[in-house]
Amino acid sequence: MSRIEVQKIAQLTGHNASIFALAADADAQHFLSAAGDGWIVRWNLENPDVGKLIAKVETQIFSLLNMPDLNKLVVGNMNGGVHWVDLENSENTKNIAHHQKGVFDIFRIGESVFTIGGEGKITRWSAAEGRSLESLHLSNQSLRSASFSHNEIALGASDNSIYLLDANSLTLKKTITNAHENSVFTVQYSPDGRHLFSGGRDAHLKIWDTENDFALVNSQPAHWFTINHIVFHRDGQWFATASRDKTIKIWDAKTFELLKVLDTIRNGGHVNSVNRLLWLDDYLISCSDDRSIILWKIKNLGG
């Protein structure tokens, strides 16, 4: 089992509400955050104390996609609106009322952008035009999370299920019913595509074998409360989980063993729910209901 050292580098403040979304920028030195205050802020890892407001919407932001090649952002709000933000010309920015009850995740595959919402629908959009192309209604409850690997999309839903779609046709390939005892808040393929990881309101971490009809290979009560997000280090050796129990946990991706717990008292961690994570090289970035972002430096000690 590998050993790691974690150092808290900085705690960034400036947002006036819970922070729900993080996104990488065009280079490894910058990242974006978006929050319930409607602000989208760019941060510099080399000078993290000062963030730059780059866009603002009038509603709470739940999800964010950065498209540096198009100089655009796609923003999902709490009412189901999808904002297409043109960073070069704000007059071209548009808000399309599309989903209901919130847009919980946004991701991109090539020339297509996908959004998922509170009414249980996934929609494919043209990335360049910001125009909806097709939708598929999967559930009568919210679709909460999405991940993509090897031409397959996994979706976690509030009906306790995980839906697996063909990314090209949006054909439903398989449904893992009762995947969790409650809402599936996060799904994430391992970088090699060998496993699908999921976390739910039941606080359980589950790992599914993608090459064996998604057989369950590991299940453990990983947190005290809801697991909000799972993210992998780029080389696949570690993954991290964020929870409503205010902690971040770092795990060995091969053995599924716990390596480190980052909490309020011992590590100066968040004092409210940790909503989202972003891994940039040696930095793990977390955001929270406490309106702050923490930069963590991860060092591999071997083993």
Side-chain angles (χ1 to χ4, degrees):
M1 186 172 68
S2 63
R3 295 181 303 122
I4 60 171
E5 181 180 272
V6 182
Q7 179 184 3
K8 180 181 175 181
I9 300 298
Q11 187 156 2
L12 315 180
T13 57
H15 280 289
N16 293 319
S18 299
I19 307 170
F20 295 112
L22 298 168
D25 209 353
D27 62 76
Q29 289 303 317
H30 295 84
F31 69 95
L32 308 182
S33 63
D37 53 15
W39 295 359
I40 301 155
V41 179
R42 176 179 282 126
W43 305 88
N44 186 339
L45 288 172
E46 293 184 343
N47 183 23
D49 294 331
V50 181
K52 180 182 179 182
L53 181 67
I54 61 169
K56 189 178 188 305
V57 301
E58 300 304 317
T59 316
Q60 285 189 325
I61 297 173
F62 277 177
S63 51
L64 172 68
L65 172 70
N66 187 18
M67 300 192 292
D69 57 320
L70 300 176
N71 211 13
K72 290 180 181 177
L73 306 172
V74 189
V75 177
N77 73 35
M78 67 174 295
N79 299 325
V82 180
H83 301 258
W84 294 80
V85 179
D86 188 325
L87 294 174
E88 288 184 350
N89 185 359
S90 60
E91 293 181 1
N92 291 335
T93 293
K94 55 187 176 181
N95 176 23
I96 302 171
H98 183 79
H99 291 282
Q100 299 167 20
K101 306 177 190 173
V103 180
F104 292 107
D105 212 349
I106 308 172
F107 61 103
R108 183 181 179 184
I109 305 173
E111 299 305 312
S112 298
V113 168
F114 296 83
T115 58
I116 59 172
E119 81 285 34
K121 182 170 69 176
I122 179 173
T123 296
R124 184 200 304 266
W125 306 72
S126 163
E129 300 174 17
R131 176 172 54 89
S132 62
L133 302 175
E134 59 179 322
S135 295
L136 175 65
H137 196 270
L138 285 168
S139 173
N140 291 323
Q141 297 187 50
S142 301
L143 298 180
R144 298 289 314 204
S145 58
S147 186
F148 168 73
S149 178
H150 293 79
N151 202 43
E152 186 175 78
I153 297 169
L155 300 169
S158 287
D159 63 9
N160 310 359
S161 300
I162 296 173
Y163 296 92
L164 301 158
L165 308 180
D166 181 279
N168 290 329
S169 64
L170 289 189
T171 303
L172 180 61
K173 297 168 61 177
K174 182 181 179 66
T175 304
I176 306 174
T177 56
N178 299 312
H180 286 263
E181 292 181 6
N182 211 311
S183 297
V184 184
F185 267 44
T186 179
V187 288
Q188 194 70 248
Y189 287 100
S190 58
D192 61 7
R194 185 71 176 79
H195 295 100
L196 177 68
F197 290 62
S198 63
R201 187 174 275 177
D202 60 5
H204 272 67
L205 171 69
K206 296 195 176 187
I207 299 155
W208 313 85
D209 187 342
T210 62
E211 297 179 4
N212 188 23
D213 198 32
F214 290 87
L216 182 64
V217 296
N218 190 280
S219 177
Q220 52 183 307
H223 285 271
W224 288 106
F225 301 115
T226 303
I227 300 174
N228 288 321
H229 198 214
I230 300 170
V231 67
F232 277 84
H233 187 268
R234 62 179 180 179
D235 65 10
Q237 65 178 326
W238 309 313
F239 69 94
T241 53
S243 173
R244 195 168 69 85
D245 67 11
K246 309 174 189 176
T247 69
I248 301 161
K249 295 187 177 183
I250 302 175
W251 309 76
D252 187 303
K254 304 303 180 191
T255 64
F256 316 136
E257 292 180 287
L258 179 63
L259 300 178
K260 200 80 172 177
V261 180
L262 304 178
D263 64 14
T264 310
I265 296 173
R266 287 173 293 184
N267 310 98
H270 293 287
V271 297
N272 292 109
S273 174
V274 187
N275 296 326
R276 198 82 177 175
L277 301 169
L278 176 66
W279 218 316
L280 293 179
D281 294 333
D282 295 331
Y283 289 95
L284 180 63
I285 303 166
S286 59
C287 66
S288 168
D289 278 355
D290 65 13
R291 306 182 179 188
S292 77
I293 298 163
I294 297 180
L295 307 184
W296 308 92
K297 186 80 173 286
I298 314 294
K299 184 178 180 182
N300 189 356
L301 299 180

